[in-house]
């Protein structure tokens, strides 16, 4: 018998945004590959092989690559009994299969989830987070990460981010192997080839904006789902406030190492208070998240 849907509150807004994002990303992908095929007619088999291969690799291996890049090390219940115990309680509350449990050796207080499905899911907490949070706060954070698995938005974000990576790689290939063979003048192929960097930049910008808009909403959705599942929005709010405050005390070098993975993290890490990254953050502001949790707390108390 297939397992029923988890007890995490469904979010139609998130589902609609995921479907819309995937449709637009797919359309953009088709247009981008079409332009490449028109510009590099003689190289179309190579383009199809490269784009197809990269897509398969991104889908099947990106979660493992991300987990490895963030230093996730899978641990047993004997090695991390408290962490496993918290995950077990959340799985029982949500009626979900237990994901792999991991710890990352980092003083940056954070957590993340990866995985294409519930079967391949991994939930990881850093040593900095485990050291700083109280048990109920940790439960709120891990329930937030588990909701990403339940709603499948981790897989959608992985696929959605693929096009931006592809645009950059294909542009380098075109610049390296195409310009040397291009002929100036009125040759349509040569003109298209010269336009590839510009088209690539536009594709990357649109892909970036689409994934950022989805990412911000999915973080609010995960906060909401975790608060409703545990019934303790105040614990999650406390964890958010504590983690945000502790970020300022983390060495800049450590924060810079964490910044490339901000889209996966529970709380983004910035190496400077006025970092330009805040303008394009993958997360809503702390004030937005706390305001939502406050409203949920009020509703639950009625």
């Amino acid at each position: 018998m297939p397992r029923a849907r988890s007890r995490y509150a469904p979010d139609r807004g998130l589902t609609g945004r995921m479907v819309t994002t995937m449709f637009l990303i797919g359309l953009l992908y088709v247009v981008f590959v079409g332009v490449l095929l028109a510009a590099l007619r003689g190289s179309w088999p190579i383009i199809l092989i490269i784009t197809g291969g990269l897509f398969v690799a991104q889908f099947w291996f990106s979660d493992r690559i991300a987990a490895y890049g963030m230093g996730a090390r899978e641990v047993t219940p004997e090695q991390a009994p408290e962490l496993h115990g918290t995950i077990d309680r959340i799985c029982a509350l949500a009626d979900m299969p237990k994901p792999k449990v991991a710890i990352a050796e980092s003083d940056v207080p954070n957590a993340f989830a990866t995985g294409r499905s519930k079967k391949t899911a991994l939930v990881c907490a850093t040593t900095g987070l485990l050291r700083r949070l109280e048990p109920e706060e940790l439960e709120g954070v891990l329930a937030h990460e588990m909701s990403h698995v339940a709603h499948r938005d981790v897989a959608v974000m992985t696929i959605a981010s693929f096009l931006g990576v592809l645009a950059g790689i294909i542009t380098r290939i075109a610049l390296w192997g195409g310009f040397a063979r291009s002929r100036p003048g009125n040759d349509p192929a040569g003109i298209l080839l010269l336009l590839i960097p510009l088209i690539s930049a536009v594709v990357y910008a649109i892909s970036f904006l689409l994934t950022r808009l989805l990412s911000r909403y999915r973080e609010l959705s995960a906060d909401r789902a975790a608060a409703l599942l545990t019934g303790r929005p105040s614990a999650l709010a406390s964890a958010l406030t504590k983690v945000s405050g502790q970020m300022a005390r983390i060495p800049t070098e450590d924060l810079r190492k964490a910044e490339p993975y901000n889209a996966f993290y529970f709380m983004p890490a910035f190496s400077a208070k006025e970092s330009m990254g805040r303008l394009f953050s993958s997360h809503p502001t702390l004030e937005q998240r706390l305001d939502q949790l406050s409203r949920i707390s009020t509703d639950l108390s009625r």
Side-chain angles (χ1 to χ4, degrees), residues 13-151:
L14 177 62
T15 302
R17 283 168 171 79
M18 289 194 295
V19 171
T20 302
T21 298
M22 290 305 296
F23 173 78
L24 293 175
I25 288 288
L27 183 62
L28 204 58
Y29 178 79
V30 170
V31 172
F32 183 60
V33 173
V35 170
L36 289 175
L37 291 175
L40 305 171
R41 293 175 188 173
S43 304
W44 67 265
I46 297 176
I47 293 174
L48 290 179
I49 291 172
I50 290 175
T51 54
L54 286 174
F55 182 83
V56 171
Q58 177 79 0
F59 182 78
W60 286 101
F61 302 113
S62 60
D63 55 342
R64 302 178 200 177
I65 294 171
Y68 176 80
M70 289 182 278
R73 175 179 57 85
E74 194 171 347
V75 291
T76 64
E78 292 74 25
Q79 293 170 318
E82 294 182 4
L83 180 59
H84 270 272
T86 303
I87 294 290
D88 286 336
R89 288 195 300 274
I90 295 169
C91 289
L93 280 173
D95 190 24
M96 284 177 61
K98 186 176 181 179
K100 299 175 184 176
V101 180
I103 291 178
E105 293 289 339
S106 172
D107 194 43
V108 179
N110 236 316
F112 62 89
T114 64
R116 303 182 312 277
S117 65
K118 294 178 183 179
K119 291 183 179 180
T120 61
L122 177 144
V123 175
C124 179
T126 65
T127 52
L129 186 80
L130 296 173
R131 189 166 57 248
R132 289 175 171 89
L133 296 190
E134 298 298 324
E136 63 274 11
E137 295 170 336
L138 179 63
E139 183 180 68
V141 172
L142 295 178
H144 167 106
E145 293 304 328
M146 289 284 289
S147 76
H148 287 314
V149 177
H151 290 153

Side-chain angles (χ1 to χ4, degrees), residues 183-247:
R183 297 188 300 273
N186 296 324
D187 183 4
I191 295 172
L192 278 173
L193 195 60
L194 292 172
L195 287 176
I196 284 180
L198 177 60
I199 295 170
S200 176
V202 172
V203 167
Y204 176 81
I206 295 174
S207 175
F208 179 86
L209 290 175
L210 286 172
T211 53
R212 283 300 178 268
L213 289 173
L214 173 61
S215 182
R216 291 178 186 179
Y217 185 91
R218 84 183 187 110
E219 292 302 327
L220 288 173
S221 176
D223 284 348
R224 181 167 54 251
L228 293 174
L229 180 73
T230 63
R232 290 189 287 190
S234 60
L236 181 55
S238 176
L240 279 165
T241 304
K242 186 178 291 186
V243 170
S244 178
Q246 290 291 319
M247 285 293 182

